[in-house]
Amino acid sequence: MSDMRVDQILRLLFASRRIAGGMADPCARQPCEECFARHRPKVEHFVRQGMPVHFVLPAFPAKSPNRHKVLGTLPDLAERLSLEFLQSFCDYVRHSYEPGARITICSDGHVFSDLVGVPDPDVTAYRSELELLLEAIGSDSITTFGLGDAFPGSDHTRQRAELTGRYALSLDTIRERAATDSAARAVFGGIHRFMFEDRVVLGGSRSRSRTKVREECKPLAYQVIQRSDAWSSLVEDYFPDALRLSIHPQAAHSHKIGVHMMRTRDNWLTPWHGVALDEGDSVRLVKREEAERLGATVVVRHGRPSHYIAPRTVPTSRLLLQEATR
């Protein structure tokens, strides 16, 4: 076994790392030895056996219910480009390590859909479309896993109850951790912000002050974190050897590796909280309201809105080629 192959895989992954401190963290610019040491044993485990390196990514839950952020309830170009990024990562791993890599997307939409205002049927439809997108891009390295795979044969309310009954920490523990641990506090802040942004524009919230809505979101944010952590524990039980990816910013030396799947200026923005904005030479993830504020034009594909084109954009030959081959 060559340690060089192991480090090549980690360098490739870290090139898209989403770090809690952003570019201010020196490890964001140049990973240190401790960055590698955290994850090297798991990569070595797969390389020793000549198996694809396995990653799990709790992500792709459902589109935000906030239409100021997204175009609709189903995956669009933002999800497609993100899936293509993940598949390309696996392809690049195969370039330096022949067995390559595989990624299990642990779709967590049903885990907290009732807390974030997304109907369970919308979550189910989102995942079905995600499967179709994986087929459309010819992915051979990405599979999905959801709450129903862990707890089959029961409705989503019962599945959530089983998850929290088996794996959840108490809400008091979640609150205490957010009060005393800076990383946990940052996660709470990010989740609380997302929930406030969504809830403040939904029906029934307009008659209440922003301060009132912000306070209402706090207990809900703690519950989202409680269930998200419970889902993380379940995922670790099901996939104990896999390297753990995250769509949230993570501390440089966390056991989770935060990843950016698309270019964005917002360290917390995800494809299901934003839209793809084609700027000619690249595609950036933004909120829908930002794209519209810029005067961007919406593109419709297969009868559904897909993404935006920035005003006065001159497409490069590379993007024209991508359009021609879609």
Side-chain angles (χ1 to χ4, degrees):
M1 183 194 69
S2 168
D3 284 343
M4 184 179 298
R5 291 182 299 173
V6 173
D7 285 0
Q8 282 175 339
I9 293 168
L10 289 173
R11 284 193 191 94
L12 182 62
L13 179 61
F14 287 175
S16 301
R17 196 161 50 150
R18 193 188 293 240
I19 290 185
M23 293 308 294
D25 191 318
C27 289
R29 297 185 296 273
Q30 180 63 48
C32 71
E33 174 54 30
E34 188 175 349
C35 291
F36 281 31
R38 274 276 182 174
H39 310 286
R40 191 181 283 125
K42 287 200 168 187
V43 180
E44 289 174 344
H45 165 78
F46 292 105
V47 173
R48 272 197 305 269
Q49 299 181 66
M51 297 170 58
V53 181
H54 187 199
F55 298 87
V56 294
L57 175 61
F60 297 92
K63 282 293 193 183
S64 164
N66 185 348
R67 294 298 173 263
H68 291 196
K69 292 182 177 181
V70 299
L71 282 163
T73 61
L74 296 174
D76 50 39
L77 185 63
E79 276 84 359
R80 178 171 184 140
L81 292 179
S82 298
L83 293 175
E84 287 180 342
F85 165 80
L86 295 174
Q87 178 60 45
S88 294
F89 167 73
C90 295
D91 296 338
Y92 274 106
V93 171
R94 192 177 293 124
H95 177 69
S96 56
Y97 172 61
E98 196 278 331
R102 63 187 181 97
I103 297 173
T104 301
I105 293 174
C106 298
S107 183
D108 48 5
H110 287 302
V111 171
F112 38 70
S113 55
D114 59 320
L115 298 174
V116 298
V118 179
D120 280 315
D122 285 0
V123 178
T124 300
Y126 180 90
R127 182 177 173 186
S128 296
E129 286 291 320
L130 208 65
E131 299 282 359
L132 292 175
L133 273 180
L134 287 171
E135 184 178 341
I137 68 173
S139 174
D140 62 357
S141 303
I142 304 172
T143 55
T144 62
F145 175 85
L147 192 60
D149 299 303
F151 302 112
S154 58
D155 65 35
H156 302 306
T157 300
R158 289 182 180 176
Q159 289 168 357
R160 287 188 280 265
E162 285 195 68
L163 173 69
T164 54
R166 295 191 193 185
Y167 290 98
L169 298 172
S170 72
L171 285 171
D172 285 343
T173 300
I174 301 295
R175 292 190 193 94
E176 175 66 20
R177 193 171 61 186
T180 59
D181 179 81
S182 59
R185 188 160 54 250
V187 170
F188 170 78
I191 299 296
H192 183 233
R193 174 167 68 93
F194 278 145
M195 297 194 72
F196 168 74
E197 289 172 347
D198 291 353
R199 203 171 182 85
V200 78
V201 300
L202 296 179
S205 296
R206 299 181 188 276
S207 61
R208 303 193 301 282
S209 70
R210 292 172 64 87
T211 300
K212 178 69 172 175
V213 175
R214 198 182 300 276
E215 286 302 310
E216 290 174 353
C217 288
K218 284 184 178 179
L220 293 173
Y222 285 123
Q223 289 180 70
V224 167
I225 293 170
Q226 180 192 43
R227 291 196 201 164
S228 180
D229 286 354
W231 182 239
S232 292
S233 296
L234 182 148
V235 167
E236 280 198 33
D237 267 4
Y238 272 76
F239 309 105
D241 297 325
L243 284 88
R244 172 63 190 273
L245 304 180
S246 173
I247 48 83
H248 294 144
Q250 299 293 325
H253 304 143
S254 168
H255 72 286
K256 301 176 185 178
I257 306 168
V259 290
H260 278 293
M261 297 178 289
M262 288 184 65
R263 189 171 69 92
T264 179
R265 295 171 185 167
D266 185 334
N267 206 25
W268 279 87
L269 198 59
T270 66
W272 43 97
H273 281 96
V275 298
L277 177 66
D278 182 347
E279 297 182 304
D281 58 348
S282 63
V283 180
R284 182 162 60 94
L285 187 65
V286 300
K287 293 175 183 175
R288 177 182 180 174
E289 61 185 1
E290 179 182 346
E292 294 181 344
R293 189 167 58 247
L294 292 170
T297 303
V298 69
V299 175
V300 176
R301 296 274 176 82
H302 303 292
R304 296 206 309 258
S306 166
H307 62 286
Y308 283 89
I309 294 177
R312 297 180 296 280
T313 291
V314 178
T316 65
S317 58
R318 178 182 65 80
L319 284 175
L320 282 173
L321 181 62
Q322 286 180 350
E323 291 292 314
T325 56
R326 274 184 192 142

